[in-house]
């Protein structure tokens, strides 16, 4: 059974009563994500992929359609879901340990227990020794690892990641991708990743969903049949190149359409 | 040695070094005692005045006035700042007039306050609170306006209640800017309280400074200044401690 199911989910921005123009962002998206799967969503800029992820995460209400986490129909944040944002999201007033402990503290977990779990997770993301550092003392990549640890410590069944490495340089991005694969293998974590990076989506995923230009619909879902477990050396293989080409072929037309839409708006 | 210990050591070193230079300059006669008191003499006079003279009573008056101004400015300033942020139209409308009021010489209105409240501490508190109020209002409004929305989304994604979002994300996020407002307010309140005490002879350290300066009691003037600096440091320390508590 799928751990996450979307049935005809649509999201339209704007209030019809206010007389403002309605902007359809996501249109009629249906998909199933299996437990333990690494599922990527890719699409042209502004196609609604981040909006779709926020709808899944319960941060935005869907205008229509149904969303199930396991067998439960949901319409808001669900304890099975964890969210990692693209933007810098660590709490600047808390240390690494304080950031990672935060969610457990809010759930009333005893101090000893939450400290133990947080330290374990900090170790998993490779930040042991940095427990007492504040975000201002960490690099961009380290801050994102803190954000990942903060989400993972709550033991979400599904981790939603909105372009988590978008603000990082290419090398850091590849290395963190590899780290994410390791964590995913270790925790058997289901991950849904929104990205605009084709290489990243192919390197990390079991399946890649390509969205159309706005309003975002499902254009194609590509199964990534690269061997598991993988590391970043996979990007040198022929099969990787062919899969990247396949994703790009599906995406190209939509990217051009999105580019034209932007030009017309300007 | 940690970074913060090193900074404190440097800071104290510079302050005591400067005091040492002043002490040596006065004692050697290079600077006349008519203009400057030796710091050690000023401290001794301050101590004597606190124990046997009028200083303790006058310092307590100033302490009370500053504390009252800070409490009034904090309560009304934070509430007004929050209100102006919450209701954007009103907030935008009043931002400019507030900034204009802040830069205007409100101190010149002191005769009105003296007529209204009499030559009492109430007049000093009423006028000085206004000085503290404006930076707190502006900083509070700015603090809430500039909270990174992603931080609130992190809380929402964890399904936090509104109370948890407010106490554990919004409050620590706005604290530094609001507390900067408190520090600014303290500066203005101190100036206003001492200035009014000095000019209107209402009591407090300001009046003591005025008395001493009229009588050319240089050591007492500097003792009073040291007392004022000590009060300022004490209030700043209390503000910084409260900020640490709020950011937990």
């Amino acid at each position: 059974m799928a751990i996450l199911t979307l049935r005809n989910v649509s999201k339209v921005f704007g209030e019809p009563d206010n007389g403002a123009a309605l902007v359809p962002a996501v249109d009629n998206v249906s998909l199933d994500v299996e437990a333990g799967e690494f599922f990527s969503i890719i699409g042209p800029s502004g196609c609604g992929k981040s909006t779709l992820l926020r709808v899944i995460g319960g941060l935005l209400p869907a205008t229509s359609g149904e969303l199930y986490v396991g067998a439960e129909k949901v319409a808001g944040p669900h304890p099975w879901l964890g969210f990692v944002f693209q933007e810098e999201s660590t709490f600047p007033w808390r240390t690494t340990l304080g950031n990672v402990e935060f969610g457990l503290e809010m759930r009333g977990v005893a101090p000893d227990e939450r400290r133990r779990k947080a330290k374990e997770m900090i170790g998993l993301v490779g930040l042991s020794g940095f427990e007492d550092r504040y975000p201002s003392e960490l690099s961009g990549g380290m801050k994102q690892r803190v954000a990942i640890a903060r989400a993972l410590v709550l033991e979400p069944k599904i981790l939603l990641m909105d372009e988590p490495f978008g603000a990082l340089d290419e090398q850091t991005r590849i290395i963190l991708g590899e780290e994410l694969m390791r964590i995913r293998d270790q925790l058997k974590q289901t991950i849904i990743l929104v990205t605009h990076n084709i290489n990243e989506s192919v390197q990390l995923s079991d399946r890649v969903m390509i969205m159309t230009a706005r309003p975002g619909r499902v254009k194609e879902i590509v199964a990534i049949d690269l061997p598991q477990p993988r590391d970043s050396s996979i990007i040198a293989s022929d099969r990787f190149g062919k899969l990247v080409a396949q994703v790009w072929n599906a995406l190209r037309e939509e990217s051009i359409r999105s580019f034209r839409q932007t030009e017309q708006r300007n | 040695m940690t970074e913060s210990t090193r900074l404190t050591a440097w800071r104290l070193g510079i302050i005591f070094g400067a005091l040492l230079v002043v002490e040596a300059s006065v004692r050697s006669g290079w600077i006349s005692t008519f203009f400057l008191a030796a710091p050690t003499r000023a401290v001794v006079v301050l101590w004597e005045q606190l124990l046997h003279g009028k200083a303790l009573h006058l310092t307590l008056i100033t302490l009370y006035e500053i504390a009252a101004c800070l409490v009034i400015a904090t309560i009304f300033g934070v509430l007004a700042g929050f209100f102006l942020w919450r209701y954007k139209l009103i907030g935008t409308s009043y931002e400019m007039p507030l900034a204009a009021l802040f830069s205007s010489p409100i101190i010149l209105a002191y005769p009105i306050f003296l007529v209204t409240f009499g030559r009492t501490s109430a007049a000093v508190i009423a006028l000085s609170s206004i000085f503290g109020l404006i930076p707190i209002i502006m900083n509070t409004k700015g603090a809430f306006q500039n909270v990174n929305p992603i931080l609130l989304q992190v809380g929402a994604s964890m399904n936090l209640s509104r109370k948890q979002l407010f106490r554990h994300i919004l409050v620590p996020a706005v604290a530094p800017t609001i507390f900067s407002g408190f520090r600014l307010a303290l500066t203005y309140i101190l100036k206003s309280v001492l200035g009014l005490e000095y000019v209107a002879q209402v009591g407090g350290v300001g009046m003591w400074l005025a008395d001493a300066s009229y009588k050319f009691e240089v050591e007492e003037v500097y003792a009073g200044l040291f007392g004022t600096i000590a009060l300022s440091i004490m209030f700043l320390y209390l503000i910084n401690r409260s900020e640490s508590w709020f950011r937990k």
Side-chain angles (χ1 to χ4, degrees):
Chain A
M1 187 187 167
I3 195 166
L4 178 79
T5 307
L6 272 69
R7 290 285 168 262
N8 309 315
V9 169
S10 297
K11 175 68 190 172
V12 179
F13 287 107
E15 296 285 329
D17 300 341
N18 291 352
L22 297 178
V23 181
V26 175
D27 186 32
N28 211 24
V29 170
S30 297
L31 63 93
D32 297 286
V33 177
E34 300 299 325
E37 189 175 17
F38 199 124
F39 189 88
S40 287
I41 301 172
I42 194 165
S45 296
C47 75
K49 49 191 188 296
S50 289
T51 302
L52 178 61
L53 200 72
R54 278 174 158 74
V55 169
I56 295 171
L59 300 177
L60 284 174
T63 308
S64 62
E66 290 168 351
L67 202 149
Y68 297 87
V69 173
E72 193 183 342
K73 189 174 174 181
V74 291
H78 189 279
W80 281 20
L81 301 170
F83 212 110
V84 178
F85 295 85
Q86 175 188 9
E87 300 89 348
E88 216 296 80
S89 68
T90 49
F91 300 126
W93 57 90
R94 282 178 170 253
T95 59
T96 297
L97 186 66
N99 263 285
V100 178
E101 275 186 338
F102 180 76
L104 296 171
E105 195 182 320
M106 295 301 105
R107 287 185 184 177
V109 177
D112 288 349
E113 175 71 358
R114 66 175 189 243
R115 194 137 300 176
R116 184 187 62 74
K117 284 187 169 179
K119 283 189 171 170
E120 205 174 285
M121 205 47 70
I122 288 168
L124 187 74
V125 298
L127 285 178
S128 293
F130 292 90
E131 288 87 349
D132 297 329
R133 298 285 182 91
Y134 282 90
S136 58
E137 300 169 308
L138 303 175
S139 69
M142 290 162 103
K143 284 181 208 172
Q144 268 317 45
R145 281 193 267 175
V146 172
I148 291 170
R150 184 179 58 193
L152 283 176
V153 80
L154 296 173
E155 297 172 6
K157 290 209 167 27
I158 309 168
L159 184 64
L160 308 173
M161 306 183 88
D162 186 9
E163 301 193 39
F165 312 134
L168 307 175
D169 64 83
E170 186 65 15
Q171 290 165 30
T172 311
R173 180 198 291 257
I174 291 172
I175 291 163
L176 282 186
E178 205 170 295
E179 288 281 294
L180 190 59
M181 294 289 282
R182 182 182 55 76
I183 292 167
R184 174 259 178 128
D185 292 339
Q186 211 166 320
L187 301 178
K188 311 284 179 232
Q189 183 73 49
T190 307
I191 297 177
I192 301 179
L193 172 80
V194 161
T195 179
H196 59 260
N197 187 310
I198 301 173
N199 285 358
E200 186 175 88
S201 68
V202 174
Q203 181 199 337
L204 303 176
S205 313
D206 297 311
R207 286 191 296 159
V208 176
M209 180 176 101
I210 296 129
M211 288 181 77
T212 64
R214 194 156 68 180
R217 300 187 188 95
V218 180
K219 177 163 187 180
E220 189 179 332
I221 295 180
V222 177
I224 307 296
D225 54 4
L226 295 169
Q228 291 279 14
R230 300 170 205 157
D231 59 31
S232 57
S233 65
I234 199 83
I235 59 181
S237 70
D238 287 346
R239 184 67 193 137
F240 181 86
K242 281 181 184 150
L243 285 165
V244 167
Q246 188 183 343
V247 173
W248 173 239
N249 283 338
L251 192 58
R252 185 175 172 274
E253 189 190 333
E254 299 306 323
S255 295
I256 293 170
R257 205 150 66 86
S258 167
F259 185 72
R260 300 234 163 94
Q261 280 177 351
T262 312
E263 274 190 335
Q264 275 167 6
R265 271 201 302 275
N266 294 336
Chain B
M1 191 188 272
T2 64
E3 184 68 19
S4 122
T5 319
R6 205 175 12 249
L7 273 173
T8 309
W10 267 102
R11 192 179 298 144
L12 291 177
I14 289 170
I15 292 169
F16 282 110
L19 288 175
L20 212 64
V21 170
V22 174
E23 183 81 25
S25 307
V26 175
R27 282 186 186 271
S28 65
W30 190 56
I31 297 177
S32 162
T33 49
F34 188 72
F35 297 111
L36 201 58
T40 48
R41 275 302 304 156
V43 171
V44 168
V45 170
L46 176 63
W47 185 245
E48 280 169 357
Q49 285 288 334
L50 283 172
L51 288 183
H52 312 294
K54 58 198 168 184
L56 183 62
H57 174 66
L58 295 175
T59 305
L60 285 175
I61 291 174
T62 304
L63 198 68
Y64 155 70
E65 286 168 351
I66 295 170
C69 291
L70 265 178
V71 169
I72 292 169
T74 299
I75 293 172
F76 289 100
V78 170
L79 284 176
F82 183 78
F83 178 81
L84 292 181
W85 164 72
R86 201 75 185 77
Y87 300 94
K88 287 187 177 51
L89 185 67
I90 303 173
T92 312
S93 314
Y94 280 90
E95 195 159 17
M96 279 295 283
L98 267 175
L101 188 64
F102 191 37
S103 55
S104 64
I106 310 169
I107 191 83
L108 297 180
Y110 81 88
I112 298 169
F113 283 80
L114 290 180
V115 169
T116 311
F117 294 96
R119 280 185 63 233
T120 60
S121 282
V124 177
I125 293 168
L127 180 55
S128 304
S129 296
I130 296 174
F131 278 96
L133 194 64
I134 302 171
I136 294 178
I137 293 176
M138 290 169 75
N139 276 43
T140 303
K141 179 177 175 281
F144 281 104
Q145 211 164 290
N146 295 323
V147 169
N148 181 357
I150 291 296
L151 300 184
L152 296 173
Q153 290 201 14
V154 170
S157 75
M158 291 177 178
N159 214 2
L160 300 193
S161 65
R162 284 173 73 88
K163 194 177 155 194
Q164 283 177 314
L165 274 176
F166 185 80
R167 171 64 191 96
H168 297 283
I169 297 185
L170 206 54
V171 168
V174 298
T177 316
I178 294 181
F179 276 86
S180 295
F182 290 164
R183 280 185 277 269
L184 262 177
L186 174 66
T187 310
Y188 287 103
I189 286 171
L190 262 172
K191 283 180 186 174
S192 171
V193 164
L194 288 164
L196 278 171
E197 285 175 351
Y198 192 100
V199 173
Q201 296 280 298
V202 183
V205 177
M207 194 180 85
W208 178 29
L209 282 170
D211 277 349
S213 64
Y214 294 148
K215 293 176 196 159
F216 294 101
E217 298 280 3
V218 177
E219 286 176 350
E220 266 196 48
V221 169
Y222 282 94
L225 286 177
F226 276 170
T228 311
I229 292 168
L231 281 180
S232 171
I233 291 171
M234 186 192 82
F235 276 106
L236 275 176
Y237 174 78
L238 288 176
I239 289 174
N240 290 345
R241 292 292 300 173
S242 329
E243 183 178 0
S244 310
W245 184 82
F246 268 98
R247 295 207 92 191
K248 271 183 190 164

